[in-house]
Amino acid sequence: MKADIVTIFPDFFRGPLDHGITRRATEMGLVKIEVHDLRQFTHDRHRTVDDRPFGGGEGMVLKPEPLFECLESLQLPTREERLTGAPKQSVIVLSAQGQRLTQKLATELAALERIVLICGRYEGVDERVIDFLADREISIGDYVLSGGELGAAVIVEAVTRLLPGALGNEASSRQESFTAHAPAETAGADSTCGSGGLLDYPHYTRPAEFRGMAVPEVLVNGNHLEIRRWRREQALRKTLRNRPDLLDGVELTKEDKKILARISGAGHIQN
Ligand code: SAM
């Protein structure tokens, strides 16, 4: 996959994407990340990328000319070509007003050959960029940041770790929070507990006892069926406590429903 990032702060990306899985995926050739300095597509002495908004009001807006010129330099298929048939590229504007980034959306993006991420600044980008240049707007959450750079880094990280081969152990992405398949009853014998759209279950490592805090007994007794059941219950408990909205989209087994009836009837949830 290729990820092009368009920004007025190219140095911002020195660091966040140079570590861990993103770095490894880059070194393995699974992803190629290219950062484009928007100011290189200006033609005035001051390398101006912004201007005052028509109609008045606060702040500045990223001008359309450098953004259109920058995107033209990337030699992408036309917007019409990108939006017809099975898309292989997507031009994305980072925006608080965009479609919210989810694991499902990250999975869709990971199936593409190329994503172009346009980082807004100030009051945002000239709306013609959204209407005529970009394919979609994506938000990383319901809050307002000062620029799209953090959002672009989040998207690249979320998407890269889904590329086949990016994680050493493929199973670790299948079992993560929000991963919408493999309910407990259908998970393979060696699987501990596919999340099936739930939040992930709790993880522990050595020492088994730390400052008087012991790892749950079930995890050290070696009974894999009990471990699987325990993990599923913990995933249900955590989802009910922190993100009950997710339960609507989860394929619950009979056993899950019994557990939920028991723990939600308890008034409060204990681990
Ligand atoms: N005037 C805009 C509004 O109220 O929606 C906010 C502009 S914000 C200060 C500047 C830039 O930060 C945006 O153009 C966008 O690229 C980025 N940004 C801010 N919040 C974001 C979010 N939640 N997700 C993705 N990008 C965001």
Side-chain angles (χ1 to χ4, degrees):
M1 156 170 281
K2 173 102 192 283
D4 296 275
I5 303 175
V6 179
T7 172
I8 61 168
F9 294 128
D11 287 346
F12 181 96
F13 296 94
R14 283 187 212 286
L17 303 177
D18 292 340
H19 301 277
I21 285 162
T22 322
R23 178 184 178 154
R24 205 165 62 99
T26 306
E27 287 169 354
M28 289 167 73
L30 298 176
V31 64
K32 184 167 193 278
I33 302 164
E34 219 169 296
V35 181
H36 306 275
D37 181 358
L38 190 61
R39 290 192 196 277
Q40 287 191 348
F41 298 88
T42 57
H43 301 289
D44 64 316
R45 205 154 51 92
H46 302 291
R47 306 174 84 207
T48 311
V49 289
D50 59 322
D51 207 341
R52 290 191 303 275
F54 274 116
E58 296 298 309
M60 302 294 274
V61 177
L62 281 182
K63 288 159 65 64
E65 304 96 308
L67 284 166
F68 273 76
E69 283 192 31
C70 176
L71 268 280
E72 279 151 17
S73 79
L74 300 183
Q75 300 189 323
L76 295 159
T78 63
R79 189 171 188 255
E80 286 63 37
E81 284 163 353
R82 291 196 305 269
L83 293 176
T84 43
K88 294 196 166 90
Q89 293 94 2
S90 194
V91 176
I92 297 159
V93 174
L94 275 300
S95 168
Q97 300 150 31
Q99 173 188 9
R100 191 115 50 93
L101 181 67
T102 59
Q103 190 70 4
K104 183 167 178 279
L105 180 52
T107 308
E108 275 171 47
L109 297 178
L112 301 176
E113 289 171 2
R114 190 174 190 182
I115 52 172
V116 179
L117 300 160
I118 299 175
C119 305
R121 277 274 155 183
Y122 315 117
E123 288 309 313
V125 302
D126 185 289
E127 197 70 14
R128 286 165 289 190
V129 170
I130 290 155
D131 290 343
F132 301 104
L133 190 60
D135 306 335
R136 55 172 120 196
E137 298 168 85
I138 295 182
S139 161
I140 60 162
D142 289 348
Y143 38 78
V144 178
L145 300 165
S146 304
E149 285 75 10
L150 280 169
V154 166
I155 291 178
V156 170
E157 163 103 20
V159 167
T160 299
R161 65 199 311 288
L162 292 170
L163 298 176
L167 301 181
N169 174 9
E170 294 286 321
S172 57
S173 75
R174 287 203 297 273
Q175 289 174 26
E176 281 173 335
S177 302
F178 313 114
T179 308
H181 52 73
E185 272 175 5
T186 58
D190 57 340
S191 166
T192 45
C193 175
S195 110
L198 299 174
L199 299 180
D200 197 8
Y201 53 76
H203 301 267
Y204 297 87
T205 186
R206 289 184 287 185
E209 178 149 342
F210 170 66
R211 297 187 181 176
M213 296 175 278
V215 167
E217 182 62 29
V218 62
L219 295 180
V220 288
N221 74 9
N223 182 328
H224 292 287
L225 185 63
E226 276 184 29
I227 290 173
R228 202 159 112 182
R229 284 200 182 124
W230 182 87
R231 285 180 165 166
R232 185 73 182 175
E233 174 162 339
Q234 298 307 310
L236 286 163
R237 282 178 180 273
K238 201 164 228 190
T239 308
L240 183 65
R241 184 177 61 209
N242 292 346
R243 292 291 307 277
D245 55 301
L246 293 176
L247 288 171
D248 291 338
V250 175
E251 196 187 320
L252 296 169
T253 65
K254 265 193 225 146
E255 189 58 29
D256 290 339
K257 287 178 192 161
K258 270 194 224 157
I259 294 170
L260 279 172
R262 173 161 53 80
I263 61 183
S264 55
H268 69 285
I269 302 165
Q270 294 172 330
N271 278 328

